[in-house]
Amino acid sequence: MSERAPDGRRARQAPLGAGDTVLVTGAAGGIGRYVVGACVDAGLRVIATDRVPFADDRAAGCPVGDIRDADFVASCLLGPDGPVAGVAHLAAIPAPGQVSEEETLDQNVLGSFVVLQQAGRHGVRRVVLASSVSAFGLAWADRDLSPRYVPVDEDHPTMAVDCYGLSKVLAEEVAAFSTRRWGLPTVCLRFPFVGTGDRLTGQLARVHEDPGGHRRDLWAWLDTRDAARAVRAGLTEPLSGHHVISVSADDTSALQPTEELLRAHHPDSRLTRRLPAHSAAFDNTRAREILGFRPHHPWRDERPPHTG
Ligand SMILES: NC(=O)c1ccc[n+]([C@@H]2O[C@H](COP(=O)([O-])OP(=O)(O)OC[C@H]3O[C@@H](n4cnc5c(N)ncnc54)[C@H](O)[C@@H]3O)[C@@H](O)[C@H]2O)c1
């Protein structure tokens, strides 16, 4: 699922570096706040936007508006002191059930379309979009599904039967379209559960109490600080074309060994390689090879396990 940018768009191939300006959408959200910090730490100038009013001293500006409003997005991309070079697009409805299915599609697909088309028109050099392992389709399914094979990679066919998963499949497709249309390099990061602090503690407690209840997320997780580092790498690593990249921790959130969990909960899934101990059930090869990304924040070293 990688495409090369058309020839003659070389100017668009330069990665972002210190001094460049990046627009972070969804900057008031759980991941967005950390992305603002990771970008500022790398010397990038940040315009942080969200539809809810918020303040962030680290940002050069915090315009408030809706990403489905093309004029608003265009004004953000022009920047207060010159054009924006990259976009980290995190604004979305992050799970099913928060709003109607129609609204989820509208926010996540039309929103991505507007951001990516405006980025293309304004000569932005890179867009990183927060996708989800939900695009592969198990996480929110209303029925028992199993992956065809494990570890699950980005080429696994989608099995999505929920509208949030569909919205992420379609947002990735909009990114691929924007790469073809504008020669705009796009990176879609498929995140699993993302959390740190109390949010992560709660998730670990739930997984440890009922590992079978988490068979649909394949016990995958990622610390929010690492998710922000992955977004930053998507902006600053040299690359061209369109990429869909799974980014999870290298281990699971569970106490049981991964192969034992798979035998118990996904017995028909084909194991394409051994997964020793608590190895992740998602394949992180692309994240390592394309983004040079390794997670820095394990949970096992940092906190005692919850035993229910
Ligand atoms: N948190 C996770 O576990 C997780 C997992 C996988 C993927 N993701 C994806 O990561 C991204 C960020 O998730 P999050 O957990 O930070 O969500 P969040 O709800 O905490 O933050 C999203 C932010 O986007 C803003 N927003 C939503 N619609 C908007 C619109 N139309 N215009 C402007 N702003 C809008 C919201 O106000 C909110 O501040 C989302 O795309 C989500 O689908 C999150």
Side-chain angles (χ1 to χ4, degrees):
M1 240 208 237
S2 287
E3 298 169 15
R4 301 194 76 75
D7 291 340
R9 312 267 178 104
R10 285 281 162 225
R12 283 215 134 132
Q13 308 305 317
L16 270 65
D20 281 328
T21 303
V22 60
L23 175 69
V24 178
T25 74
I31 302 176
R33 275 175 276 155
Y34 283 83
V35 170
V36 171
C39 289
V40 169
D41 288 349
L44 294 163
R45 239 172 132 259
V46 173
I47 313 285
T49 183
D50 205 290
R51 67 178 168 181
V52 299
F54 70 110
D56 192 324
D57 292 346
R58 302 165 299 178
C62 296
V64 175
D66 195 303
I67 47 144
R68 292 167 297 177
D69 176 346
D71 292 339
F72 171 70
V73 174
S75 71
C76 291
L77 292 174
L78 290 172
D81 305 306
V84 160
V87 176
H89 176 42
L90 298 139
I93 303 300
Q98 297 190 355
V99 295
S100 70
E101 293 182 343
E102 290 78 8
E103 175 87 9
T104 301
L105 269 289
D106 188 42
Q107 298 269 3
N108 294 5
V109 185
L110 179 62
S112 297
F113 177 79
V114 171
V115 168
L116 280 150
Q117 298 330 291
Q118 290 303 320
R121 288 201 170 91
H122 284 82
V124 165
R125 304 207 304 267
R126 184 76 58 89
V127 175
V128 178
L129 181 145
S131 185
S132 166
V133 297
S134 303
F136 139 73
L138 231 63
W140 301 100
D142 60 359
R143 62 205 74 174
D144 270 331
L145 298 175
S146 286
R148 289 190 191 171
Y149 59 85
V150 184
V152 174
D153 61 18
E154 298 85 347
D155 295 325
H156 193 294
T158 184
M159 303 190 296
V161 288
D162 69 284
C163 288
Y164 174 69
L166 174 65
S167 78
K168 291 301 183 182
V169 172
L170 296 176
E172 289 180 358
E173 200 50 50
V174 169
F177 164 79
S178 307
T179 298
R180 287 193 299 275
R181 184 178 196 191
W182 305 103
L184 167 62
T186 54
V187 181
C188 299
L189 300 178
R190 287 189 176 177
F191 291 135
F193 166 89
V194 176
T196 197
D198 290 346
R199 178 171 154 83
L200 177 57
T201 302
Q203 172 78 353
L204 292 170
R206 287 187 292 275
V207 173
H208 298 172
E209 194 173 311
D210 179 20
H214 287 263
R215 64 191 180 284
R216 290 189 177 89
D217 62 27
L218 299 181
W219 311 279
W221 76 284
L222 183 66
D223 190 286
T224 313
R225 295 165 289 180
D226 284 325
R229 289 177 50 250
V231 171
R232 182 176 68 196
L235 293 166
T236 57
E237 285 299 308
L239 56 83
S240 61
H242 167 66
H243 300 271
V244 174
I245 302 177
S246 274
V247 188
S248 72
D250 286 330
D251 67 347
T252 67
S253 54
L255 298 173
Q256 294 81 0
T258 305
E259 290 191 8
E260 183 183 314
L261 288 167
L262 290 168
R263 272 194 302 276
H265 301 290
H266 296 293
D268 297 330
S269 299
R270 185 168 50 90
L271 209 57
T272 55
R273 64 172 150 81
R274 298 304 304 268
L275 292 172
H278 301 96
S279 303
F282 284 94
D283 189 330
N284 286 322
T285 308
R286 244 184 234 185
R288 274 199 305 280
E289 292 183 351
I290 298 177
L291 300 180
F293 175 80
R294 298 298 302 238
H296 281 180
H297 297 284
W299 70 263
R300 275 169 227 279
D301 298 341
E302 292 186 355
R303 62 188 78 213
H306 301 270
T307 46

